[in-house]
Amino acid sequence: MADEQDGGGPKPSAVEVAKTASNYLRGDIAKELVDGAPGFGKGSIQLLKNFGTYQQDDREQRKSREGAKSIREISFMIRTCVPGGKLTAAQLLAAIDMGDEIGNGTIRLTTRQSIQHHGVVKGDLKEFMQKVHTNQMTTLAACGDVERNIMCCPAPIHGDSVRDQMQAKLDELAIHLAPRTRAYYEIWLTDPETGEKERVAGGPEVIEPIYGPTYLPRKFKTAFALPEDNCTDVYANDLGFIVVHDEGRILGYNVVAGGGMGVTPSAAKTFPALAKRLGFVPPEDVLGIAEAIVKVQRDFGNRSDRKVARLKYTIHTMGLDNFRAKVEEYFGKPLAPCHPADVHGFDDHIGWFEQGDGKYFYGFNVENGRIVDRDGFQLKTAIRKILRELSPGVRITAHQSLLFTGLAASDRDRIAEILHAHGVKTSEEISTLRRWSMACVALPTCGLAVAESERVLPGLIDSLEPEVAKLGLSHEAFTVRMTGCPNACARPYNSDIGIVGRTAGKYTLFLGGRLLGDRLNEQYKDVVPFEELCREITAVLACYKAERHGGETLGDFCHRKGIEGVRTWADEWLAGARGHG
Ligand code: SRM
Ligand code: SF4
């Protein structure tokens, strides 16, 4: 229950108070940036998120400082927006260089097609932002209570005018929903040496026409998808546009709203949700309907309790029909009913493909999105070499991986040669299991992690691979998604197998979602020690192998048989009662 204000009505949350007093996100950031302290004050920490910047510390360093619990080595995670995951070789190279020069020597491709750097210290923040700007990219609205990086299928298939039109629509929408505040330029892009006021074109302050002075009650996420290719997990977003097309022409978009994954287990009022089908719009109304939905969320979202401030809760509280009516009022006309088209395919675009203009693209699986050099595994160096030598176009997928585009047929062997020379496998050499797995960042940087994720999933996959092979399931595609807490940054709640951090070393297992992303899974077992995960999952796979119907997918099988049925079967198998224990 939110606190009441003196005059009645719920008290705005601390973040709302900070935003209200911030003068369009400025607050005290500029002042605190040069105050000599290693970090920022509470209000600025919240405002910084709108500039893609999170104050963090390495949680392992914390532990190792005996008797000095309160001392933390503060550094920053910075997220750069990459709308639709589209960038150039030069931009990715610059991002990798910045990781080496200013960050922790790695970069991270995210589940929403953007890039994260970790380990940037306060004194280097401004230089970092200026480099991002020089690289023609931005961190503005990569995090915070605004529209985040908008997702779209990144596959560069020329001659597929539907995909082209969809990708172009994303670009329009990203510009339309971008915050207009000049705070970003004032704080980060002024030149302290020359005292120059702004490096970029000046002009009068523009009051936020869409967001207003307090922006949105919470983060807001949007994705585009094709019915035949839901590679962006459109139903996990606050707002989704599913293309309706016929013979190469986009007829319009089915609009879905109110998806979101994060839950707080201790707060029963929170839940994961898939977006609900709201209505259909022609292409020229995409910007208008998006703006109307954002504004309804701005005006009716909960501003006192951030746990229930996402659009999914606004819809839950208002009821879908009332929400639709309010959206229609803001939109200025009624919404047509949804077209029957819905998602029915999913492609991660991994592998070698013709792109329709005589050239090729190569979908390269980056395990958990981490671009790093380690002993015997020089992934960062290999990617640098590919980018410098072949100058491909680059796309980031919603599965934390890369597409190298515009390649010649002969580049295929060269890419394999470069990868092998650096101890890296090609996408064709990794298992289907690994290809479809993904983990969130979690420890040591994420302040919300209760368990490991990115650092332990590869090992779990190592142990599962032989079990999957023994069961003859090596070619089955199913999603395994792991997170270090229930906030669900790797979207575990609509996957075939979801593994969600419960407490240190222990996880909740979920089953019954699917690759298609249009069904939530259900809790299968709770508080499972990490060491038990391989056995538990193998038992589920054994059940699937024994009892599936025809080409049924893992998620569909678990859904049909029911969680209880799978559990009983798998437990008997584990106990040896089925002769396999
Ligand atoms: Fe996330 C918070 C990382 C995609 C739901 N997420 C965080 C923070 C910033 C932790 C924090 O608040 O202190 C994590 C930074 C960790 C670090 O050290 O880097 C973080 N989220 C990520 C990324 C990098 C995970 C990854 O491995 O790729 C993804 C960045 C996406 C991007 O480029 O914008 C990321 N986060 C997601 C997704 C997936 C998606 O959007 O498709 C979700 C679930 C969908 C959703 O939003 O509901 C997600 N992140 C959350 C939540 C829970 C939100 C909620 O409504 O309950 C939080 C916590 C919060 O907002 O309070 C969170
Ligand atoms: Fe951190 Fe939790 Fe998100 Fe993982 S799911 S990155 S642990 S907030």
Side-chain angles (χ1 to χ4, degrees):
M1 210 34 197
D3 292 346
E4 295 285 312
Q5 286 189 111
D6 288 349
K11 199 171 146 189
S13 69
V15 180
E16 288 302 321
V17 173
K19 280 188 289 182
T20 307
S22 74
N23 183 20
Y24 295 94
L25 305 178
R26 289 173 178 84
D28 291 329
I29 296 175
K31 200 167 76 194
E32 291 179 18
L33 195 56
V34 292
D35 67 4
F40 289 86
K42 277 189 184 151
S44 296
I45 288 174
Q46 292 304 332
L47 296 175
L48 277 167
K49 295 180 183 177
N50 297 281
F51 306 121
T53 305
Y54 268 71
Q55 182 163 315
Q56 298 184 320
D57 68 301
D58 184 326
R59 296 173 59 186
E60 275 156 1
Q61 294 294 326
R62 237 192 252 181
K63 266 190 226 151
S64 65
R65 297 177 148 239
E66 220 177 298
K69 264 195 199 155
S70 58
I71 299 180
R72 299 175 179 191
E73 275 181 15
I74 291 172
S75 67
F76 294 82
M77 177 276 275
I78 308 177
R79 193 180 289 164
T80 304
C81 276
V82 188
K86 194 171 166 185
L87 67 169
T88 64
Q91 285 174 321
L92 183 56
L93 272 170
I96 294 174
D97 289 348
M98 283 158 64
D100 283 352
E101 289 157 16
I102 314 183
N104 68 355
T106 79
I107 67 164
R108 184 62 158 62
L109 310 175
T110 76
T111 53
R112 292 194 70 79
Q113 303 181 283
S114 40
I115 297 175
Q116 280 192 184
H117 287 81
H118 291 96
V120 177
V121 296
K122 190 179 169 195
D124 289 341
L125 276 177
K126 198 154 176 170
E127 182 191 350
F128 188 96
M129 298 302 205
Q130 296 193 349
K131 287 198 164 179
V132 171
H133 183 67
T134 307
N135 202 17
Q136 293 179 316
M137 297 175 90
T138 184
T139 70
L140 178 62
C143 309
D145 292 345
V146 283
E147 172 69 57
R148 303 283 187 93
N149 197 43
I150 304 184
M151 297 209 284
C152 184
C153 170
I157 303 177
H158 296 268
D160 178 350
S161 62
V162 168
R163 225 173 267 262
D164 287 349
Q165 290 168 54
M166 173 180 69
Q167 289 167 349
K169 191 56 81 181
L170 168 138
D171 292 339
E172 274 181 59
L173 186 61
I175 292 170
H176 190 67
L177 294 181
R180 309 286 202 274
T181 178
R182 299 200 61 77
Y184 185 77
Y185 305 99
E186 286 174 24
I187 297 169
W188 306 111
L189 306 179
T190 49
D191 190 335
E193 295 293 310
T194 62
E196 187 189 338
K197 187 65 185 147
E198 288 185 26
R199 280 189 172 196
V200 290
E205 170 73 280
V206 181
I207 302 305
E208 296 284 3
I210 296 178
Y211 296 114
T214 50
Y215 295 82
L216 297 181
R218 205 59 164 89
K219 56 176 71 167
F220 194 92
K221 300 178 173 183
T222 300
F224 286 78
L226 292 157
E228 61 275 23
D229 182 6
N230 183 23
C231 64
T232 52
D233 248 338
V234 68
Y235 278 104
N237 285 264
D238 295 273
L239 173 60
F241 291 99
I242 302 172
V243 179
V244 178
H245 61 96
D246 188 31
E247 296 183 352
R249 206 168 59 85
I250 294 190
L251 306 177
Y253 294 83
N254 279 335
V255 182
V256 300
M261 298 265 117
V263 270
T264 309
S266 58
K269 59 192 172 185
T270 65
F271 50 81
L274 294 178
K276 291 164 185 58
R277 288 164 72 85
L278 204 64
F280 171 87
V281 293
E284 61 274 17
D285 280 346
V286 165
L287 270 49
I289 193 70
E291 182 176 327
I293 291 171
V294 165
K295 284 179 168 170
V296 170
Q297 166 65 354
R298 177 196 68 191
D299 295 348
F300 295 89
N302 190 320
R303 289 189 184 258
S304 60
D305 183 353
R306 289 181 66 81
K307 281 194 169 55
V308 288
R310 292 288 294 272
L311 183 67
K312 62 184 172 183
Y313 302 113
T314 312
I315 295 179
H316 182 71
T317 308
M318 291 175 86
L320 187 61
D321 290 340
N322 289 337
F323 174 75
R324 187 187 286 106
K326 190 53 78 181
V327 167
E328 287 171 336
E329 183 190 318
Y330 278 50
F331 184 42
K333 54 188 168 184
L335 266 169
C338 271
H339 184 279
D342 202 354
V343 297
H344 56 81
F346 188 122
D347 189 346
D348 63 353
H349 307 292
I350 293 302
W352 183 259
F353 301 94
E354 283 190 342
Q355 58 179 46
D357 57 354
K359 300 209 163 146
Y360 297 83
F361 75 89
Y362 184 57
F364 174 60
N365 188 278
V366 178
E367 191 161 23
N368 301 324
R370 181 68 67 181
I371 299 184
V372 63
D373 277 355
R374 284 192 290 263
D375 282 351
F377 178 78
Q378 304 293 301
L379 176 64
K380 187 171 61 177
T381 308
I383 290 177
R384 265 203 178 107
K385 195 158 178 57
I386 291 170
L387 295 174
R388 286 197 182 125
E389 195 177 308
L390 307 177
S391 267
V394 179
R395 309 275 169 107
I396 303 171
T397 75
H399 258 223
Q400 308 165 317
S401 285
L402 285 176
L403 310 184
F404 297 122
T405 73
L407 298 168
S410 57
D411 292 338
R412 185 175 191 168
D413 289 346
R414 183 62 190 138
I415 288 177
E417 216 171 81
I418 294 173
L419 293 174
H420 289 157
H422 293 85
V424 181
K425 289 182 175 165
T426 63
S427 299
E428 293 78 0
E429 290 162 341
I430 61 163
S431 66
T432 308
L433 179 70
R434 196 176 299 271
R435 165 174 165 181
W436 287 99
S437 72
M438 96 180 159
C440 73
V441 179
L443 294 165
T445 53
C446 179
L448 304 178
V450 295
E452 292 277 0
S453 182
E454 181 189 321
R455 297 195 297 192
V456 299
L457 184 61
L460 176 60
I461 300 289
D462 288 345
S463 338
L464 276 169
E465 274 171 347
E467 304 299 337
V468 170
K470 263 190 256 165
L471 290 165
L473 295 173
S474 297
H475 297 293
E476 292 297 328
F478 49 84
T479 41
V480 180
R481 296 179 177 174
M482 184 178 217
T483 58
C485 85
N487 281 316
C489 297
R491 301 187 289 270
Y493 299 129
N494 58 353
S495 64
D496 294 82
I497 300 178
I499 308 170
V500 176
R502 178 70 147 80
T503 179
K506 298 199 170 70
Y507 296 84
T508 311
L509 263 177
F510 294 84
L511 297 176
R514 56 176 173 176
L515 211 81
L516 215 47
D518 61 346
R519 187 174 61 220
L520 289 176
N521 47 27
E522 292 172 64
Q523 184 171 316
Y524 172 66
K525 286 197 179 178
D526 200 12
V527 208
V528 182
F530 177 77
E531 302 70 34
E532 299 287 317
L533 286 174
C534 182
R535 286 180 74 232
E536 292 288 354
I537 294 171
T538 303
V540 170
L541 294 174
C543 176
Y544 168 54
K545 168 77 179 181
E547 301 211 340
R548 71 170 164 171
H549 291 167
E552 198 172 31
T553 65
L554 175 63
D556 285 351
F557 164 75
C558 293
H559 184 67
R560 174 181 60 75
K561 186 166 171 73
I563 295 300
E564 195 48 53
V566 175
R567 194 165 31 227
T568 306
W569 195 104
D571 284 347
E572 286 176 8
W573 187 86
L574 283 171
R578 291 182 186 271
H580 298 276

